């Protein structure tokens, strides 16, 4: 090759590189720092576990991220006490064993996801216990059961968990601190040690070390990466190299010239791009196939750039997001779905940027030129291809108000007509000069909002703060409108659309949608629209429908049927519902600019998709009727932050929607631990005091994660789903005992719900007094008590019946005793004797008393009780008869408390008659003299009446046994009657033998009857 050819090749190579570099554009990121909960801002290691959690190893702590918060593990905390050090250097998740290996500057440990806890390596692999104290740089594995550990001072270690062996490589004074990286490339394990490469060749259960490119020394190697058939080598300070196949040929070593700074990490994204993390020069995205390069460097004025330029680690997650660990800058996340909207805005340090962020109108001429109307910089011409902007400072000579441009129109001669706050201006297409048409005596020519070139007339229709007006293009004259409806009601036109019937449809502030027949000069307010929205800002025709952007959402109006077809609220009642402009894309979907970003509406079902700053919009608030459609289908919307530009067909949807996970359970405000991860708990069993439950959850969907949604319900309490948008906490207080099922679903940023439902069974056990066994026991006890009561009742009834029968029998016996035939016979004989002796008086008295006694006895036999007074009267008759019978052999006295006689005290009839009879027949009758005395005393005591029957007869001992038989029968019968009446076990009867000097002097009987 001659010299000219060599120079030509060098020139072409440099030119190609410059072209590639010139075509590059910035990559935008989301940054996470200690302000977001990261434990420290230097991230050395990144990985993702099987559940989707992101793990970050920093200089001060291990972090787990779930899209909502960072959970930090530190040695000084209970959750991280098994960390050998807070300085995390390496993370590796073993997809075979589902374990997370953690390397630190003082050793390694393992995080067990199912237990949600850190454990020592020796707890699972005793042979690997030396790793717990060895400083670790890197942990990797290329096949099951085999792990490689790059250490700071012990060379390279290889652990085989199947054989339980731990082997050492490069462990000599020259190499033990120089091992920097290990990679599997094309089935070969390659290792970098300082400036050289080595090949580890398998040999039975061991590996043989073989130098690779032994004659070539690289700058000090930092990292290795395998990309297809190319081996990439990042050096500590001198950029990076790549080696094509065969890697054993030094001629295939190439220097990558895109960066000259050190390279600390590589990664490959889902599109096949190679990501290069530099040590001070930011991030490079390189497409090895096309040669295209994109760069990302820190810009302190743009928070979408990486937080720092020193990159420590790169990692591609399962969602195809790229995570970048930075030195001092935390973590930068690249989400290809986030920044899909381009923006044009004013950048203070970039004089070539958009001159003014407040954009009022966008206009494209018939020959394809773009113009922008702004608030402060007047009319701006925009060269789209070169992204250049040209201002027209000459407008200012007409007045400062003319720099506020609201609307632009083009006439048939391709002249531009500009409606400004200062009035109407013309930009001559041929001479590119401005002309100002001022009419001082006509208010409608000032403070203009819209200008519209009539399709069927050579005039402009203009609206403004003071009403509508016409301007003749031919005569260059102003003409007032015939109907003054807009002026009369102060309706302000903001947008004008002309149909094929020469009608103008004016979107107004105050009057809603107004139809104007400018030929007849008639205005008509569309009342059905005005009822819904008096402020209408934009109109997009779709067949026979007008899609109207209003201050109360979207109103779809059928102008042929003259009725509203649909009213669409874009936000809830307490949020802004203002819509500014509408466009329809090639898929038939409608796009609406609002105060809260952009909305996409599907007219088939009116389902909306919201786009805001989480989707990459640089601002949220747009302006009235400020929109434009490009020929390629791209849309432009102008607002308070410049211009948003995008092509709907190129927007990518988020199709990734994993099932949510439960991340924490709090019972009565205290974290619930079961030596397992909350997501692994299927059933939660609690007692009745543990009835206040808080469940925290997350979904490991990190694309636009702030727009993830959650829906949950607690079956058994409420079957209705609760959707609290991005809120990730559910709380239930004072749950009653029972069985519940907590069900959880999630949706991604595009509203796609997860296929599965996360479930947690909750059992709140009842208190012991509400348990089934207690209820059965109580039932048995109640049944037993009921049985006992019933049995007792039956026994009482039987007892009472028996008692009643006994009382009846006793009374009958008493009656028979009182009606003793011997007594009756003796009484009749005595009466007969008196009659025989012709003692008629005494016979009559005796007979009367005998008859009265019999009548009283017969009357008493019908009753269980009689009054005490009547009973004593009957007793007195009996005594009188006995006295007559025994010819006054004794005297008898009855003493009773007057109170007892006057009151209605009840006693059994002749209850003491047997005792009186016994005293007469066996005591007094047998005295040798006629000095016998019988005292019957009745007294009242608290609760009872006491009878005392006292005689001075011969006493009981003087009686012969044979003479006492009848007496004993009568005495026993009386005691039974007393016992039954008092309802007592032993009768309250006391018999006392009276004696004097050992000689019987009579008998005293005490009888007590309970007062009833």
């Amino acid at each position: 090759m001659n010299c000219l050819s060599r120079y030509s090749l060098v020139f072409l190579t440099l030119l190609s590189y410059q072209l590639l570099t010139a075509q590059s554009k910035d990559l935008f990121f989301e940054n996470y720092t200690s302000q977001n909960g990261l434990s420290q801002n230097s991230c050395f290691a990144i990985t993702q576990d099987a559940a989707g959690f992101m793990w970050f190893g920093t200089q001060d702590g291990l972090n787990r991220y779930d899209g909502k918060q960072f959970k930090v593990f530190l040695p000084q905390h209970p959750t991280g006490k098994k960390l050998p050090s807070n300085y995390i250097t390496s993370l590796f998740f073993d997809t075979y064993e589902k374990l997370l290996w953690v390397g630190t500057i003082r050793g390694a440990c393992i995080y067990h996801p199912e237990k949600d806890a850190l454990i020592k390596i020796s707890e699972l692999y005793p042979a690997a216990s030396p790793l717990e104290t060895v400083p670790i740089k890197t942990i990797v594995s290329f096949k099951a059961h085999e792990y490689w550990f790059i250490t700071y001072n012990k060379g390279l270690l290889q652990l085989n968990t199947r054989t339980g062996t731990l082997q050492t490589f490069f462990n000599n004074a020259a190499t033990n601190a120089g091992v920097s990286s290990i990679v599997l490339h094309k089935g070969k394990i390659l290792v970098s040690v300082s400036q050289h490469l080595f090949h580890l060749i398998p040999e039975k259960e061991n590996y043989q070390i073989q130098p690779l490119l032994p004659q070539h020394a690289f700058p000090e190697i930092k990292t290795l990466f395998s990309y297809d058939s190319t081996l990439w080598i990042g050096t500590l300070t001198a950029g990076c190299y790549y080696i094509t196949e065969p890697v054993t040929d030094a001629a295939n070593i190439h220097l990558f010239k895109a960066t000259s700074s050190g390279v600390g990490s590589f990664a490959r994204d889902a599109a096949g791009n190679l990501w290069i993390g530099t040590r001070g020069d930011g991030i490079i995205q390189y497409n090895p196939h096309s040669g295209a390069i994109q760069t990302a460097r820190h810009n302190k004025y743009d928070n979408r750039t990486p937080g720092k330029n020193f990159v420590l680690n790169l990692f591609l997650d399962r969602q195809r997001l790229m995570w970048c660990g930075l030195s001092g800058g935390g973590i930068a996340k690249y989400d290809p779905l986030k920044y899909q909207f381009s923006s044009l805005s004013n950048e203070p340090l970039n004089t070539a940027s958009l001159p003014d962020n407040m954009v009022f109108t966008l206009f494209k001429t018939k020959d394809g030129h773009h113009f922008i109307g702004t608030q402060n910089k007047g009319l701006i011409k925009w060269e789209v291809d070169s992204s250049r902007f040209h201002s027209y400072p000459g407008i200012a000579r007409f007045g400062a108000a003319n720099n506020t441009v609201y609307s632009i129109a083009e006439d048939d001669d391709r002249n531009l007509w500009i409606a400004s706050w200062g009035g109407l201006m013309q930009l001559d297409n041929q001479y590119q000069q401005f002309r100002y048409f001022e009419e001082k005596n006509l208010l409608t020519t000032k403070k203009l909002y819209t200008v519209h070139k009539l399709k069927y007339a050579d005039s402009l229709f203009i609206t403004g703060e003071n009403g509508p007006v016409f301007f003749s293009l031919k005569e260059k004259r102003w003409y007032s409108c015939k109907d003054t409806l807009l002026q009369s009601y102060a309706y302000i036109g903001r947008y004008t659309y002309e149909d094929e019937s020469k009608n103008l449809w004016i979107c107004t502030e105050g009057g809603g949608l107004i139809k104007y027949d400018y030929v007849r000069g008639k205005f008509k307010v569309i009342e059905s629209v005005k009822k819904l929205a008096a402020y209408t800002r934009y109109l997009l025709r779709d067949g026979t429908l007008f899609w109207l952007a209003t201050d109360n959402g979207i109103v779809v109006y059928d102008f042929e049927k003259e009725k509203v077809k649909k009213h669409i609220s874009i936000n809830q009642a307490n949020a802004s519902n203002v819509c500014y402009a509408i466009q329809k894309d090639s898929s038939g979907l409608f796009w609406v600019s609002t105060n809260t970003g952009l909305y996409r509406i599907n007219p088939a079902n009116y389902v909306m998709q919201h786009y805001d700053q989480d989707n990459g919009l640089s601002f949220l608030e747009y302006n009235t009727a400020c929109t434009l459609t490009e020929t390629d289908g791209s849309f432009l919307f102008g607002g308070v932050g410049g211009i948003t530009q995008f092509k709907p067909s190129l927007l990518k949807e988020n199709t990734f929607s994993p099932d949510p996970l439960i991340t924490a359970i709090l019972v009565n405000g205290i974290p619930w631990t079961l030596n397992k991860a909350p997501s692994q708990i299927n059933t939660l069993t609690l007692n009745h005091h543990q009835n206040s439950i808080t469940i925290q959850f997350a979904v490991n969907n990190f694309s636009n994660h702030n727009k993830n949604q959650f829906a949950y319900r607690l079956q058994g309490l409420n079957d209705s789903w609760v959707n609290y948008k991005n809120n990730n906490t559910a709380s239930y207080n004072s749950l009653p005992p029972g069985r519940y099922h907590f069900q959880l679903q999630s949706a991604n940023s595009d509203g796609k719900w997860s296929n599965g439902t996360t479930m947690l069974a909750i059992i709140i056990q009842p208190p012991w007094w509400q348990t089934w066994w207690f209820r059965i026991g109580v039932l048995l006890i109640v049944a037993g008590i009921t049985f006992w009561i019933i049995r007792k009742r039956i026994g009482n009834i039987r007892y009472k019946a028996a008692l009643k029968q006994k009382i009846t029998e006793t009374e009958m016996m008493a009656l028979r005793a009182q009606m003793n035939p011997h007594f009756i016979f003796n009484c009749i004989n005595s009466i007969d004797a008196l009659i025989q002796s012709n003692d008629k008086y005494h016979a009559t008295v005796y007979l009367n008393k005998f008859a009265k006694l019999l009548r009283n006895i017969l009357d008493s036999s019908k009753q269980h009780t009689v009054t005490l007074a009547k009973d004593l009267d009957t007793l007195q008759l009996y005594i009188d008869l006995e006295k007559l019978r025994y010819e006054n052999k004794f005297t008898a006295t009855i003493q009773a408390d007057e109170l007892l006689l006057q009151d209605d005290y009840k006693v059994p009839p002749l209850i003491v008659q047997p005792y009186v009879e016994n005293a007469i027949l066996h005591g007094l009758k047998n005295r040798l003299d006629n000095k016998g005395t019988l005292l019957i005393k009745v007294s009242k005591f608290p609760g009872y009446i006491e009878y005392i029957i006292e005689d001075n007869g011969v006493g009981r001992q003087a009686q012969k046994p044979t003479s006492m038989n009848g007496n004993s029968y009568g005495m026993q019968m009386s005691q039974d009657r007393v016992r039954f009446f008092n309802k007592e076990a032993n009768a309250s009867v006391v018999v006392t033998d009276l004696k004097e000097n050992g000689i019987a002097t009579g008998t005293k009987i005490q009888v007590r009857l309970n007062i009833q």
Side-chain angles (χ1 to χ4, degrees):
M1 182 181 294
N2 56 35
C3 182
L4 180 60
S5 299
R6 287 198 299 270
Y7 283 123
S8 298
L9 180 59
V10 171
F11 174 78
L12 290 173
T13 302
L14 291 174
L15 180 61
S16 300
Y17 175 74
Q18 290 174 353
L19 289 174
L20 289 173
T21 305
Q23 293 172 357
S24 67
K25 63 179 181 179
D26 290 335
L27 302 169
F28 293 126
F29 297 79
E30 290 179 82
N31 290 291
Y32 302 84
T33 66
S34 55
Q35 293 181 348
N36 305 105
L38 188 67
S39 63
Q40 200 265 347
N41 288 329
S42 290
C43 180
F44 289 90
I46 306 173
T47 193
Q48 186 174 33
D49 64 22
F53 292 109
M54 294 301 304
W55 292 84
F56 306 101
T58 73
Q59 195 170 316
D60 186 22
L62 175 66
N63 298 256
R64 189 189 76 180
Y65 183 57
D66 60 15
K68 293 292 290 187
Q69 61 185 3
F70 289 91
K71 181 178 180 180
V72 179
F73 298 79
L74 290 168
Q76 61 267 33
H77 295 164
T79 56
K81 62 183 179 181
K82 291 190 178 180
L83 277 173
S85 170
N86 62 330
Y87 198 129
I88 312 299
T89 56
S90 179
L91 294 172
F92 174 75
F93 184 75
D94 181 5
T95 57
Y96 298 103
E97 300 295 334
K98 302 296 187 295
L99 298 174
L100 175 65
W101 292 78
V102 182
T104 78
I105 60 172
R106 291 186 177 179
C109 66
I110 293 175
Y111 171 81
H112 201 301
E114 289 189 1
K115 297 181 179 180
D116 190 25
L118 291 163
I119 62 174
K120 291 186 176 181
I121 298 176
S122 57
E123 294 180 37
L124 294 179
Y125 311 114
S129 58
L131 294 171
E132 296 174 354
T133 56
V134 175
I136 302 295
K137 282 185 184 179
T138 304
I139 305 173
V140 295
S141 177
F142 305 124
K143 64 180 181 179
H145 309 294
E146 186 177 85
Y147 305 90
W148 297 90
F149 301 85
I150 299 176
T151 71
Y152 280 92
N153 55 8
K154 299 292 183 181
L156 177 66
L157 302 179
Q158 185 248 345
L159 171 67
N160 190 315
T161 58
R162 179 175 293 164
T163 61
T165 57
L166 184 65
Q167 301 184 61
T168 304
F169 302 88
F170 305 104
N171 190 22
N172 55 61
T175 61
N176 59 8
V179 181
S180 58
S181 186
I182 182 171
V183 69
L184 181 66
H185 178 68
K186 304 288 288 183
K188 300 177 181 179
I189 297 179
L190 305 181
V191 180
S192 60
V193 181
S194 297
Q195 298 172 296
H196 299 279
L197 299 176
F198 295 88
H199 178 201
L200 295 184
I201 303 173
E203 190 177 84
K204 295 183 180 180
E205 296 295 333
N206 204 343
Y207 286 88
Q208 184 69 34
I209 300 175
Q210 177 178 312
L212 183 70
L213 300 170
Q215 304 302 319
H216 186 88
F218 294 90
E220 186 174 354
I221 298 173
K222 174 64 177 174
T223 187
L224 303 176
F225 186 76
S226 177
Y227 180 94
D228 291 341
S229 59
T230 303
L231 177 66
W232 286 79
I233 302 171
T235 69
L236 198 62
T237 58
C240 65
Y241 296 81
Y242 61 93
I243 308 175
T244 58
E245 287 294 317
V247 295
T248 55
D249 188 349
N252 293 328
I253 300 174
H254 307 277
L255 174 65
F256 183 68
K257 298 179 181 180
T259 180
S260 59
S261 65
V263 172
S265 58
F266 295 95
R268 178 175 182 161
D269 66 19
N273 298 308
L274 179 67
W275 287 61
I276 304 171
T278 73
R279 296 169 60 82
D281 196 28
I283 300 168
I284 299 171
Q285 186 195 73
Y286 171 62
N287 187 326
H289 304 292
S290 66
I293 293 176
Q294 290 179 279
T295 59
R297 295 184 178 88
H298 173 64
N299 180 351
K300 64 180 180 179
Y301 299 106
D302 191 347
N303 61 7
R304 299 172 300 172
T305 61
K308 294 290 183 180
N309 286 329
F310 198 108
V311 182
L312 297 171
N313 193 263
L314 295 169
F315 180 82
L316 184 72
D317 71 10
R318 65 179 184 177
Q319 202 173 346
R320 301 180 177 182
L321 309 182
M322 188 65 72
W323 300 80
C324 312
L326 309 176
S327 178
I331 303 160
K333 181 187 72 179
Y334 173 74
D335 181 0
L337 299 181
K338 184 173 179 65
Y339 296 103
Q340 300 190 76
F341 296 89
S342 300
S343 63
L344 298 172
S345 61
N346 177 256
E347 301 173 18
L349 299 181
N350 183 4
T351 57
S353 64
L354 182 66
D356 189 1
N357 273 339
M358 184 63 80
V359 176
F360 282 153
T361 187
L362 298 167
F363 186 79
K364 185 177 181 180
T365 65
K366 297 171 185 177
D367 55 5
H369 295 297
H370 291 74
F371 289 87
I372 303 170
T374 67
Q375 184 182 49
N376 302 303
K377 298 298 182 179
L379 184 68
I380 297 170
K381 186 176 182 180
W382 173 27
E383 294 182 4
V384 177
D385 293 338
S386 61
S387 295
R388 295 180 181 178
F389 301 94
H390 301 281
S391 300
Y392 296 92
I395 294 177
R397 75 177 186 272
F398 303 128
N402 290 61
N403 272 332
T404 301
V405 176
Y406 279 100
S407 182
I408 305 170
E410 184 180 16
D411 63 22
D412 295 338
D413 296 326
R414 298 190 177 182
N415 299 313
L416 292 186
W417 294 87
I418 300 104
S420 74
W421 203 240
L424 181 66
M425 297 180 293
Q426 180 198 40
L427 175 59
D428 185 272
N429 179 52
Q430 183 177 358
Y431 300 105
Q432 291 295 299
Q433 293 180 349
F434 283 91
R435 184 179 176 185
Y436 179 41
F437 296 89
E438 185 179 21
E439 183 66 46
K440 295 182 179 180
N441 296 324
L442 192 60
L443 288 176
T444 53
T445 65
K446 298 287 187 180
K447 300 181 179 179
L448 308 181
Y449 280 122
T450 73
V451 55
H452 172 73
K453 169 61 177 67
L454 297 176
K455 295 179 181 179
Y456 307 104
D458 193 24
S459 297
L460 301 176
F461 177 75
I462 301 167
T463 65
E465 190 81 7
N466 301 304
V469 67
F470 286 103
F471 181 81
S472 173
L473 294 174
K474 181 179 181 180
E475 300 174 8
K476 302 296 188 290
R477 287 185 57 187
W478 296 93
Y479 291 92
S480 298
C481 293
K482 295 178 181 179
D483 192 327
T484 58
L485 175 70
L486 270 69
Q487 288 175 303
S488 300
Y489 293 96
Y491 296 156
I492 300 173
R494 296 306 306 268
Y495 181 77
T496 303
Y497 168 77
E498 184 177 3
D499 65 21
E500 60 275 5
S501 301
K502 299 182 181 181
N503 294 313
L504 296 179
W505 297 83
I506 308 168
C507 298
T508 71
E509 294 180 357
L513 180 65
I514 295 177
K515 181 181 181 181
Y516 177 40
D517 184 341
Y518 64 86
V519 175
R520 298 179 182 179
K522 296 296 183 180
F523 287 92
K524 178 184 177 182
V525 176
I526 308 302
E527 294 294 342
S528 59
V529 174
K530 186 181 177 183
K531 288 179 181 178
L532 295 172
Y535 286 74
T536 306
R537 299 182 177 275
Y538 188 76
L539 180 155
L540 178 70
R541 181 173 176 176
D542 182 37
T544 63
L545 302 177
F546 287 156
W547 282 66
L548 303 173
T550 77
D551 282 11
N552 189 25
I554 302 296
V555 176
V556 183
Y557 176 71
D558 190 324
F559 61 86
E560 285 190 352
K561 297 180 180 179
E562 297 185 349
K563 68 177 184 179
V564 173
K565 180 182 178 182
K566 184 69 177 180
H567 177 217
I568 307 170
S569 294
I570 62 168
N571 278 317
Q572 297 177 351
N574 58 348
S576 173
N577 223 10
V578 175
C579 299
Y580 291 111
I582 308 174
Q583 293 288 2
K584 182 180 181 181
D585 66 21
S586 58
S587 300
L589 304 177
F590 290 85
W591 293 79
V592 184
S593 60
T594 73
N595 270 334
T596 56
L598 297 176
Y599 285 82
R600 187 187 68 188
I601 303 175
N602 187 338
N605 51 20
Y606 301 105
V607 172
M608 291 184 292
Q609 175 68 38
H610 183 209
Y611 297 86
D612 56 18
Q613 288 175 320
D614 287 328
N615 300 97
L617 294 180
S618 58
F619 62 93
L620 297 179
E621 185 178 341
Y622 292 86
N623 283 324
T624 299
C626 189
T627 185
L628 183 66
T629 301
E630 296 284 32
T631 54
D632 66 348
S634 298
F635 292 153
L636 302 176
F637 288 96
V640 300
I643 300 171
T644 297
Q645 183 179 19
F646 65 98
K647 189 173 183 179
S649 61
L650 297 181
L651 294 180
K652 300 176 182 177
E653 290 195 7
N654 187 358
T655 59
F656 183 77
S657 187
D659 295 341
L661 298 172
I662 295 174
T663 56
I665 301 172
L666 284 75
V667 177
N668 293 344
I670 301 173
W672 188 260
T673 56
L674 287 175
N675 197 30
K676 63 168 60 176
S679 59
Q680 300 294 318
I681 300 175
N682 297 320
T683 302
L684 189 65
T685 303
L686 308 170
N687 62 45
H688 68 282
H689 294 298
Q690 300 167 320
N691 60 352
S692 293
I693 302 172
T694 298
I695 302 173
Q696 296 176 356
F697 38 83
V699 58
N700 290 322
N701 186 340
F702 304 106
S703 178
N704 292 331
H705 60 275
N706 289 330
K707 301 188 76 174
N708 290 335
Q709 301 179 54
F710 299 97
Y712 58 85
R713 65 179 177 180
L714 187 64
Q715 284 189 316
L717 182 67
N718 191 340
D719 289 341
S720 300
W721 287 90
V722 177
N723 187 346
Y724 279 155
K725 300 299 183 183
N726 196 241
N727 178 45
N728 70 322
T729 301
S731 295
Y732 301 97
N733 297 317
S734 302
L735 286 174
R739 291 178 175 268
Y740 305 92
H741 287 90
F742 179 74
Q743 296 181 330
L744 174 67
Q745 293 182 339
S746 63
N748 64 17
S749 58
D750 283 345
K752 177 178 172 57
W753 288 92
S754 55
N755 293 326
T757 299
T758 300
M759 300 184 67
L760 173 66
I762 301 174
I763 301 173
I764 298 181
Q765 296 177 334
W768 60 267
W769 60 86
Q770 292 182 1
T771 57
W772 63 268
W773 53 265
F774 176 78
R775 290 176 178 175
I776 292 176
V778 169
L779 183 62
L780 292 175
I781 292 173
V782 170
I785 292 175
T786 303
F787 175 77
W788 180 82
I789 291 174
I790 293 173
R791 187 172 181 179
K792 185 73 173 177
R793 176 66 176 163
I794 293 173
N796 287 339
I797 292 173
R798 290 175 176 174
Y799 171 76
K800 289 180 179 179
L803 180 62
K804 187 175 182 181
Q805 179 67 22
K806 187 68 175 177
I807 292 173
T808 302
E809 292 175 356
T810 304
E811 289 175 348
M812 291 301 295
M813 289 187 292
L815 179 60
R816 288 195 298 269
Q818 294 157 10
M819 298 293 291
N820 191 324
H822 181 66
F823 168 73
I824 294 173
F825 178 76
N826 288 336
C827 287
I828 293 173
N829 282 341
S830 297
I831 295 171
D832 180 63
L834 290 174
I835 294 173
Q836 292 296 331
S837 62
N838 202 25
D839 189 353
K840 298 179 180 180
Y841 173 77
H842 286 97
T844 302
V845 172
Y846 203 141
L847 182 61
N848 286 336
K849 287 186 178 183
F850 179 68
K852 188 176 181 180
L853 175 63
L854 292 178
R855 183 173 64 250
N856 284 355
I857 291 174
L858 291 175
D859 289 342
S860 299
S861 67
K862 301 176 183 179
Q863 305 174 39
H864 294 298
T865 59
V866 295
T867 62
L868 178 63
K870 185 176 181 180
D871 187 61
L872 293 179
D873 184 47
T874 304
L875 184 62
Q876 183 66 55
L877 290 173
Y878 170 75
I879 295 173
D880 289 343
L881 290 174
E882 291 289 16
K883 287 172 63 179
L884 287 173
R885 176 184 170 192
Y886 292 108
E887 298 177 351
N888 297 317
K889 190 175 180 63
F890 63 91
T891 61
T893 305
I894 298 177
Q895 299 177 0
D897 293 347
E898 193 66 26
L899 181 62
L900 289 173
L901 298 176
Q902 292 177 357
D903 212 337
D904 190 25
Y905 289 96
K906 301 288 186 177
V907 295
L910 295 174
I911 187 68
V912 296
Q913 185 270 336
Y915 299 111
V916 173
E917 181 182 2
N918 185 66
I920 295 172
L921 297 179
H922 302 290
L924 297 175
K925 185 186 74 167
N926 295 322
R927 282 182 65 90
L928 299 178
D929 56 16
N930 293 331
K931 295 181 179 182
T933 61
L934 175 64
L935 175 64
I936 301 170
K937 186 177 182 181
V938 184
S939 303
K940 178 178 179 296
F941 291 92
Y944 65 92
I945 297 173
E946 182 181 63
Y947 289 84
I948 296 178
I949 302 98
E950 184 176 341
D951 67 79
N952 60 352
V954 297
R956 291 187 298 170
Q957 294 180 355
Q959 304 302 314
K960 296 180 180 179
T962 55
S963 66
M964 290 295 293
N965 291 336
N967 178 45
S968 297
Y969 174 76
M971 292 279 286
Q972 183 61 45
M973 178 187 65
S974 294
Q975 286 186 4
D976 288 342
R977 293 184 70 196
V978 170
R979 180 165 58 83
F980 293 148
F981 182 79
N982 288 343
K983 299 178 182 178
E984 57 191 3
N986 298 311
S988 298
V989 178
V990 179
V991 179
T992 306
D993 293 323
L994 301 178
K995 293 182 180 181
E996 185 175 343
N997 298 323
I999 299 173
T1001 59
T1003 305
K1004 178 181 179 181
I1005 300 175
Q1006 292 173 282
V1007 178
R1008 290 183 181 180
L1009 296 178
N1010 292 338
I1011 296 175
Q1012 296 183 1

